[in-house]
Amino acid sequence: MSTIPSHLKNVDVFISEEKIQSRISQLGQEITNDFAGEEIVVIGVLNGAFMFCADLIRQIKLPVHLEFMGASSYGDGTESSGQLDITLDLKKSIEGKNVVVVEDIVDTGLTLKYLLADLKNRSPKSLKTCSLLHKPSKTQHHIPINYLAFEVEDQFVIGYGLDLAGKYRELPFIGLYRGE
Ligand code: 5GP
């Protein structure tokens, strides 16, 4: 069982460390089977997916080339401008490669939609999506998630890479913030 450190009084465990790790082991097995005999490029989307990505690649029993991308979709406050702001780009070409893009959470689907469009333009051999979390009730852009760890309700989650104003990313579990 995860124990909550005393400075995290306002945080409830929502998905335990054990549950996360067991699900990641299944996803790693699935990816290993799907790409048997091949190499893959795993692209972690920063910052939120760093922890998920680190644990996931340890469960993939194939040659993995790890890359990170920094990306955020942005707009005028009410509506998206239709642009993806790439704050950190790939170091290597993905042309002709099997790519698995790894997200922390797919909420409206906007970030992943823009990201996929951008990556498709770079001519990978295949392009799959993987996300730790998905909020189906918030979907505005239907992007297939090929490998999904957990579906969640419309609740704001923190921990295991996900932040609240820059805090709580270090938690080994996914939590719910109860407020001050
Ligand atoms: P989308 O473009 O799918 O609407 O948004 C995805 C991004 O919104 C995620 O990468 C994440 O940064 C943020 N986000 C959405 N829901 C949550 C949540 O419940 N908790 C946290 N910490 N971030 C969220």
Side-chain angles (χ1 to χ4, degrees):
M1 276 293 290
S2 302
T3 46
I4 304 178
S6 58
H7 68 285
L8 298 172
K9 289 196 178 68
N10 297 326
V11 176
D12 290 327
V13 177
F14 182 52
I15 304 176
S16 71
E17 186 175 355
E18 291 77 9
K19 236 176 146 180
I20 295 170
Q21 294 305 329
S22 138
R23 184 71 188 113
I24 289 177
S25 159
Q26 292 171 344
L27 285 182
Q29 184 67 58
E30 253 185 74
I31 293 171
T32 303
N33 293 342
D34 290 356
F35 292 96
E38 309 219 29
E39 291 183 13
I40 60 172
V41 177
V42 171
I43 301 176
V45 184
L46 295 175
N47 292 334
F50 81 97
M51 200 178 279
F52 177 41
C53 214
D55 285 339
L56 181 67
I57 61 169
R58 277 178 273 194
Q59 299 300 328
I60 298 175
K61 311 301 176 195
L62 298 170
V64 169
H65 178 84
L66 178 66
E67 288 273 341
F68 285 104
M69 261 182 112
S72 65
S73 52
Y74 58 94
D76 59 10
T78 53
E79 207 166 297
S80 164
S81 61
Q83 279 180 277
L84 182 75
D85 184 16
I86 295 184
T87 53
L88 176 75
D89 207 349
L90 303 176
K91 298 277 184 291
K92 278 193 156 185
S93 162
I94 54 166
E95 193 177 339
K97 309 276 187 193
N98 294 306
V99 172
V100 179
V101 54
V102 178
E103 267 277 21
D104 54 353
I105 183 163
V106 179
D107 188 31
T108 64
L110 196 65
T111 307
L112 193 56
K113 180 182 161 180
Y114 291 157
L115 203 53
L116 279 189
D118 184 280
L119 293 173
K120 257 179 207 158
N121 278 337
R122 305 180 194 211
S123 310
K125 178 180 174 189
S126 65
L127 183 54
K128 301 281 186 198
T129 57
C130 176
S131 185
L132 174 67
L133 299 168
H134 176 40
K135 290 182 183 171
S137 63
K138 297 283 294 295
T139 301
Q140 288 177 22
H141 306 273
H142 291 269
I143 307 301
I145 305 173
N146 303 107
Y147 306 100
L148 174 66
F150 303 102
E151 273 191 2
V152 291
E153 302 292 319
D154 182 15
Q155 290 155 295
F156 192 81
V157 290
I158 54 165
Y160 198 69
L162 291 143
D163 75 316
L164 171 63
K167 288 170 71 182
Y168 304 113
R169 291 195 197 275
E170 73 279 13
L171 303 183
F173 57 86
I174 297 167
L176 289 175
Y177 182 70
R178 272 187 276 113
E180 289 300 331

